[in-house]
Amino acid sequence: MSHRHCGPRGRVEINIPEALLAMRGGPWGKWGPFEFDFGDEGRGWGRGRRGRRRMFESGELRLVLLKLIADEPRHGYDLIRAIEQLTGGEYAPSPGVVYPTLTLLQDMGLIEEAPGEGPRKPFQVTDEGRKHLEERSDEVEALLERLRDLAPREEHSAGPAIGRAVKNLMTALRHRVSRDGIDDELLHEIAAILDEAAQRIERVK
């Protein structure tokens, strides 16, 4: 089946294997036994039992991200995984909400890029950011406790983590196409990456 996308270089057509599409139970993210949402911060990835209600009110996600960065320097993807771990896989904010929130925290002077080499640097908290957390420490702890309460009491499978990984793949593809467009060379390169991932999954013991 072909899906069309209009990017800066015009309309492109991406062929998605029929078998992969057959796993999808709906237009917004149920693939086989895994379910995740393409939405705002009010939607979680994973089984979605509790994640479909709005998780954070205005400014609350900002405090959670700031606290996690104060604990240790982190990239955006690390923050998503940290929240997912806090909730036992029941909730993870979408990249489309996390990254703009990080930009806002930078603009507020509460976080900054950590020194180091490489194009992707983690964020670290500033002195102003630590002061902000101290002033709202009770609220921060209540938010973290809310996330911990989502964690299931019994052990669950890794379905939510796989759902998150598939969501990240689809997000990366969408962002790449919308930003740069796509051509045959890039399509073959992406296909090679996916083929390699499939082979590695088959070899997992």
Side-chain angles (χ1 to χ4, degrees):
M1 181 176 292
S2 297
H3 282 240
R4 291 181 173 85
H5 176 88
C6 288
R9 299 181 187 175
R11 182 182 296 270
V12 296
E13 187 171 289
I14 303 175
N15 292 315
I16 299 177
E18 295 287 350
L20 185 60
L21 286 172
M23 293 174 61
R24 187 177 65 181
W28 294 109
K30 187 170 184 181
W31 296 75
F34 312 119
E35 183 176 346
F36 47 92
D37 294 313
F38 294 78
D40 58 19
E41 66 179 286
R43 298 190 177 189
W45 305 338
R47 290 179 175 81
R49 185 173 66 250
R50 307 181 199 179
R52 292 188 181 277
R53 68 178 178 83
R54 186 174 182 83
M55 181 62 61
F56 297 111
E57 298 302 327
S58 177
E60 290 183 342
L61 177 61
R62 193 163 64 233
L63 281 176
V64 171
L65 297 181
L66 183 60
K67 175 64 170 75
L68 293 173
I69 292 171
D71 290 342
E72 63 179 88
R74 302 179 197 253
H75 295 94
Y77 184 67
D78 298 327
L79 292 163
I80 293 172
R81 287 189 299 178
I83 292 175
E84 183 184 34
Q85 289 169 1
L86 276 173
T87 65
E90 290 296 305
Y91 172 79
S94 71
V97 169
V98 168
Y99 287 101
T101 303
L102 291 174
T103 299
L104 178 60
L105 286 170
Q106 278 186 290
D107 293 341
M108 296 172 66
L110 303 180
I111 63 172
E112 62 187 3
E113 286 190 342
E117 299 179 357
R120 294 183 65 252
K121 299 179 178 62
F123 292 103
Q124 64 182 14
V125 71
T126 63
D127 291 339
E128 187 65 26
R130 291 192 183 279
K131 180 180 178 182
H132 187 72
L133 286 173
E134 290 173 1
E135 293 172 349
R136 307 182 68 172
S137 59
D138 290 344
E139 185 178 354
V140 170
E141 185 54 39
L143 288 169
L144 294 178
E145 189 63 28
R146 184 198 303 173
L147 292 173
R148 296 187 193 104
D149 285 345
L150 289 177
R153 302 307 177 189
E154 67 278 0
E155 184 176 354
H156 280 219
S157 71
I162 295 176
R164 170 184 51 76
V166 174
K167 167 65 165 60
N168 286 341
L169 169 63
M170 302 305 289
T171 299
L173 286 171
R174 186 174 65 249
H175 285 176
R176 179 60 191 265
V177 172
S178 63
R179 187 188 68 219
D180 300 326
I182 198 165
D183 52 31
D184 287 344
E185 182 178 354
L186 180 58
L187 279 174
H188 284 99
E189 186 175 348
I190 292 173
I193 292 171
L194 296 177
D195 286 340
E196 181 182 357
Q199 292 168 9
R200 291 180 63 182
I201 290 171
E202 289 180 347
R203 292 195 297 265
V204 170
K205 296 181 180 179

